[in-house]
Amino acid sequence: MSRHPQISEALRNSTGVSLSLLLIFLAAGCTPAPEFRLNAVHRRTVELESLDGQPISDEHLRQAGDVLIALFGTPGHPVFPEVESDWASIVDLENLKLAAGPVASDRSGRHSGLFREHCAHCHGVSGDGAGPTAAFLNPYPRDFRLGKFKFKSTRMYRPPTDGDLLRILEEGIPGTAMPSFRLLDRDELVALVDYVKYLTIRGQVERALLEEISQLNDKEPLLASRAGLPDDEFDEQLSLVIDDVVTPVINKWLERENNVTEVPAVPEDLFSSRFQWAARGRQLFFGRANCAQCHGETGRGDGQTQNHDDWTNEWLMRAKVDENNRAEVAEFVRLGALRPRKLRPRNLEHRVFRGGGTPMDLYRRIADGIEGTTMPAASGLSEEDVWSLVMFVKEPGFPENDEGHQH
Amino acid sequence: MIQLVSQYESGSAPAGAPPRGWLTRYVFATDHKIIGAQFLFSSLAWMAIGGFLAMAIRWQLAWPWSDMPVFGPWLFLAEGGQISPEFYTMLFTMHGTIMIFFVVIPILLGAFGNFLIPLMIGARDMAFPRLNMASYWLMWPGFTCLIAAFFSPGYGPAAGWTSYAPLASAPEAAPGSGLGQSLWLASLLFVGASSILGSVNYITTILFLRVRGMTLFRMPMTVWGLLVTAILQALALPVLTAALVMQLADRHLGTGFFMPHDLVINNSAVGGGAGQPLLWQHLFWFYSHPAVYIMILPAMGMVSDMISCFSRKPLFGYRPMVYATCAIAAMGFLVWGHHMFVSGLNPLAGSVFMVSTMLIALPSGVKVFNWLATLWGGRIQFTTPMLFSVAFVSMFIIGGLSGILMAANTVDEYVHDTYYIVAHFHYVLFAGSIMAVFGGICYWFPKMFGRKMNETLGKLHFLLTFVLLNATFFPMHILGWRGFPRRYADPYHLEQFQDLLPLNQFITFAALALGASQLIFVVNFLYSLFAGPRAADNVWQANTLEWATASPPPHGNFFREPVVERGPYEYSDPRSLLDYQPQTSFPNGSGAERQTGEEAPA
Amino acid sequence: MNRLWSLLFLAVPVLGIVIVLGASGVGGFVTDRWLPEAIGPRTTSVDGLFNLIHAIAGVVFFLTATILGVSLWCFSADRAGSARFWHGNVVLELLWTAIPAGVLVWLAFYQLPFWNLNKVDAPRMYFDPEQREESLTPPIARVVARQFDWSFVYPGSDGEFDTIDDVVSSGVLVLPRDEMNVLELASEDVIHGFAINALRLKQDIVPGLASRVWFAVSGEGEWEIHCTELCGWGHYRMAAKLRVVSRVEYDQWLRSTLLAQQGHDR
């Protein structure tokens, strides 16, 4: 999507436009470029977990920062470690350049700064899901740094495929503030998908590094300061860190295509005899599959409502924060956490399905669960059982409330 | 007319003895002239704030998502100074709110209304001086609430100055619809209460405190404009007040006036009732359409006075002008539906509102023709106030004619919510009302403060403002023809608007320059306030009563009771030695009993 | 010298007309198009009115603004002579009330049939003996607006919404060409505005209030749908595509999308 497809000549030549460029340069000159924000919530969490709340030494934090910049660059100049040759298959550096940096377009009309234009308001420049708009949204925007994604075709605890991420950008997520970005060109969407992966991997590495330095004692350096070392020595130390921290993260991304859940062929009579399927699903819902425990006897999502999602539990549980203690929560909110909200199981009455409403989508949600939430992968359910549940959830006859209470 | 006698004979009511202390004299003043100045200063200060918001809006439209200079790094450090979309929605919401409720209405009614009404009708003060003081000091809780709204979550209210439910009434619906929206509603309640007190006072004063000889049809057009406007406000504001209270109740008391049944917004169930969002629009526009006339009728009155004075010629068609003013006001209550042609209103009702809206163009047209006829055959003096007044007429022609296009509902469907609308109301409100306000300030400044403003700086300010406002707002029509939507933080998302970016950059340059050129006015105003040359009592050699007393007028306005002998526009009477005849003096020759407006052209 | 000011006001009608003509494509130096592309009979009718009103307003504007400038020039105090002592003229007042009144009333009633066609008289399809009139054409799709996205629901083969064979298309509204398409509009949360500039079409979508729009498109292609009622911070990004194809292609698309959504294509 280019900014100036047909500028009228008169205006292009006007002094105004050249003046505008001058102004932009002036403005850019006095505005500091945005930086990746340190994952302060996680820093505090590991401090409370491993150091009895003692702060991690500034020296260690600085070293971790050096490693991150050496590996991933800055929001304006992203790089991606290409230690192994196949690592480049995850993220294309050209795509990163298109998505990163301030919003701009070059002479040929090629548009860059896509992430800051379309995504950063909510997801934040660092991909922490805490952009300026984030606090007002329900549900909160995704924090990429945990490496967890809800709506995907891969199994639990596996990164999503490019296709999954692309589909979210194209279709949006109904029932949330995530809109469809279908009006963008496809190569722009692909660039954004790469940038999301980049931010995710960077966030995962940052978290791993913080855990790593929380285990070190004060004397033990993560790596020596870049300033005092010749470059090759620094690189050598860096490669040790990479082996320890980065490789495990990236290997998971390399293997994700092998972990895609195959949805079995839709049963031939799924639609023609949908009421029989749905009736069977109803029995499972209230019985063996135990869905009603969370989704409630009425299906309105009012069963189990006291849990949090993984992104909240990441600090709430690990740092043993008391959710009702205002001061403790406020400390983390100051560090950049969003106020904890209880996880609401889906109200099935609204029939808004965030991960897509087709039978295959619902099959995946039920069979694989939803990562990061209390929705588990189905266990002990046959293919037929899952299809039955799918039809029960989709069938508009559901739920008849008084009937629900009889079960 | 007992009031008239007691007003001057008792020597106490309603003006009373001049206050001694500084605080009672300048802060908690009951003197209408001081209250007028208070309204003037606070409105001008708000105009500066509203202007800054407009600059920020223009910045985003010219260089979307680029790092905003000066304020950007301060507000959005993490994003490197890039405006966030909810900040943008706050910007245009607050710009509209401030300019309408805190600038145009208070400056026309509060400042000019207060200062001019008693002087022009020969009263010693307003009928209810303490009510008058209350009317000003009720503005301050309003100011406080609105400033506080800037610091509430989401940067402040962000549902547009129209605050349509349920976006505004459901706190979950928008970042600014939380505390900020409640503060916005509270602020408008205070400002509305202030206006109601003011208008009751104006109506009473004009109807009961006119001096001997000041019949209704000898009142200057300014007073007519203010009288009709005050009546409009007194009738329309209670409806807005009720609507504001209803929205507050929807937000805080769990009612559902404007909330449909079973609504889920931002993943939260909101609203318990079975209300109707369109009800808000009806109530809001039932006030806010008359408010359009509230914002233009006093300006038209002031412009009529200035044009007649500087053409040295009687106002052409005084009585038709008065009737047109009344007709605009009366019909103003019947056209609110034209804001709702595509709102989901029954389209048949849309047709009715279309016809009434077409017809309201008529009295406005009559006014324009009368102004032209006043100029024709005059002896025109190009003073700063005259330039602003002529600019008002010239710009009002554009703003009025584009209104006809929007009255035609078939076409309005296309231009609705585009920059064509933005262009239209800026031509009426900025190029119209605000130009009249600038003219009025230059015209009555000597009377208000006893000093003259600098004419050279005034003309420079006029020239730059006139040229730049056209450079800013005229191209917005072109944007509108292309369907360019308003209230978009980034319209270039849509491919069809991408080629309009350079035009928007041009508009932004013009707007920034327009903003900067207002500095000339600030300098001129402040300099003249303290160091301008002393002004004579009747600097412009005008007829109306305010020029028959000292500059600035003393407490109680007139040294002795003026007696009005003739209408306000007896300029260039061939039987008179001078080219003006003040309303108070006996006319030269025999025309003592003559009424204005009844004589055919010579 | 003071009368030079009148040149400033004389420039208003001259520049105004020049810029408007330029913008309308005569000169093409401001933008290259006056109105967006026209794609249906609806567009043509609105455009005709649009041009007509602009022409009338343009003439009035040029005349009044020129008279204003000329009178400033001719009656400036620089020139000798005193002002006329005129107070008014009943004939003139009547004339300039009656003539505009006639034009405005004519305009109001002239444009009324277009409004009725576009907004009031919903298309009807066949004679219904029970209702003793032609029944309303049922909607081809339902437009569902939410913060900040559009989705389009087709009723599928049973012709009923909210059944299992509904086809959901997010972000793309596919319609057959040359047919009168009726759309049902629904909002899930706040008020949105359904707008297609190429059709000169706008209709607000109020939650809890059913509304319909109808139009025909004469060609095939893709156009943009956007939101024209402030609906929150993301108002500006609420956009979708209108894709118009031949009837054959449309049927094919609907069938294959339904099959894909039911998982039968694999």
Side-chain angles (χ1 to χ4, degrees), chain B residues 253-554:
Chain B
L253 302 179
T255 58
F257 293 113
F258 309 127
M259 297 287 226
H261 182 58
D262 213 10
L263 202 58
V264 176
I265 300 179
N266 198 11
N267 219 22
S268 322
V270 293
Q276 172 53 271
L278 284 185
L279 177 61
W280 165 264
Q281 298 184 24
H282 281 293
L283 295 177
F284 181 83
W285 287 117
F286 188 81
Y287 166 75
S288 292
H289 196 79
V292 172
Y293 302 113
I294 290 170
M295 290 184 278
I296 197 88
L297 288 177
M300 287 173 159
M302 285 155 50
V303 162
S304 306
D305 282 3
M306 289 186 272
I307 286 188
S308 171
C309 171
F310 293 113
S311 303
R312 312 311 294 169
K313 184 166 170 289
L315 184 69
F316 197 88
Y318 172 77
R319 275 174 189 258
M321 285 291 245
V322 172
Y323 299 145
T325 305
C326 298
I328 292 177
M331 292 163 79
F333 280 110
L334 305 175
V335 297
W336 81 90
H338 66 221
H339 296 270
M340 300 168 63
F341 281 149
V342 299
S343 69
L345 182 77
N346 185 332
L348 287 173
S351 303
V352 177
F353 283 118
M354 180 273 292
V355 176
S356 61
T357 308
M358 284 283 184
L359 291 179
I360 207 170
L362 209 52
S364 313
V366 168
K367 276 180 166 291
V368 171
F369 296 135
N370 276 304
W371 285 320
L372 293 182
T374 305
L375 289 170
W376 190 267
R379 195 178 144 74
I380 295 162
Q381 301 170 342
F382 290 96
T383 57
T384 312
M386 180 60 167
L387 289 171
F388 276 113
S389 304
V390 175
F392 172 94
V393 178
S394 166
M395 298 292 97
F396 184 75
I397 293 171
I398 300 180
L401 285 170
S402 60
I404 293 175
L405 184 98
M406 286 147 33
N409 43 8
T410 312
V411 185
D412 180 70
E413 183 186 353
Y414 173 55
V415 294
H416 172 81
D417 218 67
T418 65
Y419 260 75
Y420 199 84
I421 310 289
V422 178
H424 165 75
F425 64 67
H426 280 99
Y427 261 93
V428 179
L429 286 182
F430 186 84
S433 298
I434 294 291
M435 294 301 258
V437 163
F438 281 137
I441 290 177
C442 297
Y443 185 66
W444 281 293
F445 191 92
K447 189 50 68 180
M448 284 184 184
F449 304 110
R451 289 174 190 276
K452 281 193 80 171
M453 286 178 83
N454 184 304
E455 274 284 300
T456 315
L457 281 180
K459 282 179 177 161
L460 183 66
H461 170 235
F462 163 76
L463 180 67
L464 288 174
T465 305
F466 185 74
V467 170
L468 290 169
L469 85 86
N470 278 297
T472 304
F473 298 118
F474 199 81
M476 289 186 185
H477 290 113
I478 301 175
L479 296 180
W481 294 326
R482 289 283 305 278
F484 192 77
R486 65 194 276 214
R487 295 175 166 177
Y488 263 39
D490 182 4
Y492 318 106
H493 245 58
L494 293 152
E495 204 165 359
Q496 56 179 324
F497 304 127
Q498 281 167 8
D499 61 330
L500 293 174
L501 183 70
L503 190 58
N504 269 298
Q505 288 171 339
F506 172 79
I507 293 175
T508 297
F509 280 117
L512 291 172
L514 178 63
S517 61
Q518 301 313 304
L519 281 176
I520 303 172
F521 175 77
V522 174
V523 168
N524 192 2
F525 187 87
L526 291 178
Y527 176 80
S528 309
L529 198 57
F530 297 108
R534 293 272 170 200
D537 287 353
N538 192 355
V539 265
W540 310 113
Q541 305 189 321
N543 288 345
T544 41
L545 274 188
E546 77 271 28
W547 302 106
T549 183
S551 298

Side-chain angles (χ1 to χ4, degrees), chain A residues 91-395:
Chain A
V91 166
D92 179 354
L93 207 54
E94 285 306 305
N95 280 340
L96 289 192
K97 282 180 188 152
L98 205 62
V103 182
S105 41
D106 63 15
R107 279 203 153 275
S108 65
R110 199 167 162 77
H111 200 39
S112 63
L114 297 170
F115 190 81
R116 284 185 65 191
E117 180 176 0
H118 300 292
C119 318
H121 318 302
C122 298
H123 292 287
V125 170
S126 317
D128 53 7
T133 314
F136 306 103
L137 304 181
N138 187 358
Y140 290 134
R142 182 62 47 246
D143 173 359
F144 302 136
R145 300 171 306 177
L146 229 61
K148 291 185 177 183
F149 292 86
K150 281 184 176 177
F151 308 113
K152 57 185 183 180
S153 59
T154 53
R155 275 190 269 286
M156 196 74 98
Y157 310 122
R158 301 289 170 182
T161 65
D162 285 10
D164 294 337
L165 293 174
L166 197 61
R167 178 181 159 177
I168 297 288
L169 288 184
E170 281 185 334
E171 310 253 321
I173 305 181
T176 76
M178 177 78 185
S180 152
F181 288 89
R182 218 180 269 277
L183 290 191
L184 269 65
D185 294 343
R186 197 177 167 81
D187 54 339
E188 291 182 322
L189 290 180
V190 169
L192 281 172
V193 164
D194 273 10
Y195 198 74
V196 166
K197 287 185 285 179
Y198 158 80
L199 286 177
T200 307
I201 293 169
R202 189 194 167 277
Q204 289 177 298
V205 169
E206 183 185 25
R207 285 174 63 251
L209 274 174
L210 284 169
E211 310 220 347
E212 187 91 5
I213 55 177
S214 74
Q215 305 295 333
L216 302 174
N217 68 42
D218 276 356
K219 301 280 153 47
E220 210 178 342
L222 176 69
L223 80 178
S225 156
R226 168 158 235 169
L229 285 176
D231 269 359
D232 51 341
E233 221 165 303
F234 180 85
D235 288 346
E236 199 175 303
Q237 290 188 341
L238 193 61
S239 69
L240 288 175
V241 177
I242 289 174
D243 287 344
D244 264 12
V245 179
V246 186
T247 313
V249 171
I250 293 202
N251 279 345
K252 274 199 165 180
W253 283 88
L254 288 171
E255 290 159 10
R256 60 204 158 122
E257 299 289 347
N258 307 331
N259 288 293
V260 172
T261 302
E262 285 303 326
V263 177
V266 175
E268 280 306 316
D269 64 340
L270 189 66
F271 290 94
S272 49
S273 41
R274 59 180 185 274
F275 295 112
Q276 284 91 317
W277 283 96
R280 196 160 163 266
R282 172 185 282 271
Q283 283 183 345
L284 285 161
F285 188 91
F286 293 106
R288 191 154 54 87
N290 210 11
C291 311
Q293 191 193 349
C294 290
H295 289 283
E297 295 290 316
T298 58
R300 286 190 181 136
D302 50 2
Q304 176 55 266
T305 58
Q306 290 309 305
N307 297 314
H308 293 101
D309 63 21
D310 285 8
W311 293 269
T312 310
N313 280 336
E314 178 71 5
W315 54 276
L316 204 63
M317 299 275 268
R318 285 182 64 180
K320 300 196 178 55
V321 174
D322 176 7
E323 193 200 351
N324 300 315
N325 184 330
R326 281 164 163 250
E328 284 184 24
V329 172
E331 185 195 352
F332 278 87
V333 169
R334 267 198 306 278
L335 293 173
L338 296 165
R339 288 192 182 282
R341 282 195 194 124
K342 293 277 199 283
L343 190 58
R344 289 289 308 263
R346 191 64 45 248
N347 179 345
L348 298 170
E349 203 179 19
H350 289 147
R351 289 202 301 282
V352 172
F353 302 110
R354 295 187 181 165
T358 72
M360 289 93 65
D361 293 323
L362 293 171
Y363 185 96
R364 281 206 168 101
R365 295 296 91 77
I366 296 171
D368 285 351
I370 300 177
E371 192 174 350
T373 72
T374 46
M375 173 87 183
S379 59
L381 292 182
S382 68
E383 268 179 34
E384 276 73 30
D385 293 343
V386 176
W387 285 124
S388 307
L389 283 167
V390 166
M391 288 323 272
F392 177 54
V393 165
K394 262 194 90 68
E395 180 48 49

Side-chain angles (χ1 to χ4, degrees), chain A residues 21-41:
Chain A
L21 290 174
L22 186 76
L23 255 177
I24 288 176
F25 288 137
L26 280 176
C30 53
T31 311
E35 294 294 324
F36 285 125
R37 233 181 319 194
L38 173 78
N39 192 341
V41 172

Side-chain angles (χ1 to χ4, degrees), chain B residues 65 85-86 89 92 158-160 164-167 173 175 260 263-265 276-278 281 311-318 320 341-344 347-348 351 354 358-359 361-362 366 369-370 372-373 375-382 387 390-391 393-395 397-398 401 404-405 408-411 413-418 420 459 462-463 466-467 474 478 481-483 485-490 493-497 499-500 503 570-575 594 597 599-602, chain C residues 2-6 8-9 12 15-17 19-20 23-24 30-36 42 45-46 49-50 53-54 57-58 60-61 64-65 67-68 70-89 92-93 96-97 100-101 104-105 107-109 111-112 114-116 118-120 147-148 187-191 196-198 200-209 211 224-240:
Chain B
W65 312 125
E86 73 272 14
T89 49
F92 62 71
Y164 278 9
L167 180 68
L263 202 58
V264 176
I265 300 179
Q276 172 53 271
L278 284 185
Q281 298 184 24
S311 303
R312 312 311 294 169
K313 184 166 170 289
L315 184 69
F316 197 88
Y318 172 77
F341 281 149
V342 299
S343 69
L348 287 173
S351 303
M354 180 273 292
M358 284 283 184
L359 291 179
L362 209 52
V366 168
F369 296 135
N370 276 304
L372 293 182
L375 289 170
W376 190 267
R379 195 178 144 74
I380 295 162
Q381 301 170 342
F382 290 96
L387 289 171
V390 175
V393 178
S394 166
M395 298 292 97
I397 293 171
I398 300 180
L401 285 170
I404 293 175
L405 184 98
N409 43 8
T410 312
V411 185
E413 183 186 353
Y414 173 55
V415 294
H416 172 81
D417 218 67
T418 65
Y420 199 84
K459 282 179 177 161
F462 163 76
L463 180 67
F466 185 74
V467 170
F474 199 81
I478 301 175
W481 294 326
R482 289 283 305 278
R486 65 194 276 214
R487 295 175 166 177
Y488 263 39
D490 182 4
H493 245 58
L494 293 152
E495 204 165 359
Q496 56 179 324
F497 304 127
D499 61 330
L500 293 174
L503 190 58
E570 302 302 296
Y571 292 101
S572 300
D573 187 338
R575 289 157 295 191
R594 199 183 57 237
E599 197 159 303
Chain C
N2 271 327
R3 66 201 287 209
L4 289 181
W5 283 107
S6 47
L8 188 66
F9 295 100
V12 172
L15 280 178
I17 294 294
I19 291 173
V20 170
S24 66
V30 182
T31 57
D32 20 19
R33 281 169 294 167
W34 151 264
L35 288 160
R42 186 184 209 290
S45 68
V46 176
L49 261 174
F50 182 93
I53 297 177
H54 266 105
V60 177
F61 162 66
T64 46
I67 293 173
L68 178 77
V70 167
S71 41
L72 290 176
W73 176 262
C74 295
F75 300 102
S76 157
D78 296 357
R79 289 156 53 108
S82 66
R84 311 288 202 287
F85 192 57
W86 291 344
H87 284 90
N89 183 314
L92 268 180
E93 299 286 350
W96 65 43
T97 309
L104 287 170
V105 170
L107 201 59
F109 287 96
Q111 66 106 47
L112 209 49
F114 297 105
W115 175 256
N116 288 342
N118 289 346
K119 286 282 183 188
V120 182
Q147 285 178 327
F148 302 99
S187 166
E188 282 186 357
D189 35 47
V190 298
I191 301 178
I196 303 172
N197 270 344
R200 320 287 187 263
L201 172 89
K202 272 191 191 96
Q203 180 61 51
D204 282 8
I205 315 176
V206 182
L209 196 71
S211 48
E224 284 166 334
I225 297 170
H226 63 289
C227 177
T228 49
E229 197 59 70
L230 178 65
C231 60
W233 62 271
H235 174 49
Y236 70 98
R237 57 163 64 257
M238 217 176 139

Side-chain angles (χ1 to χ4, degrees), chain B residues 129-180:
Chain B
R130 277 183 292 273
L131 203 65
N132 205 15
M133 179 180 82
S135 140
Y136 179 67
W137 285 105
L138 266 177
M139 294 294 283
W140 275 90
F143 294 165
T144 315
C145 287
L146 204 73
I147 291 173
F150 277 110
F151 298 96
S152 56
Y155 307 106
W161 81 277
T162 50
S163 280
Y164 278 9
L167 180 68
S169 60
E172 294 82 1
S177 289
L179 179 64

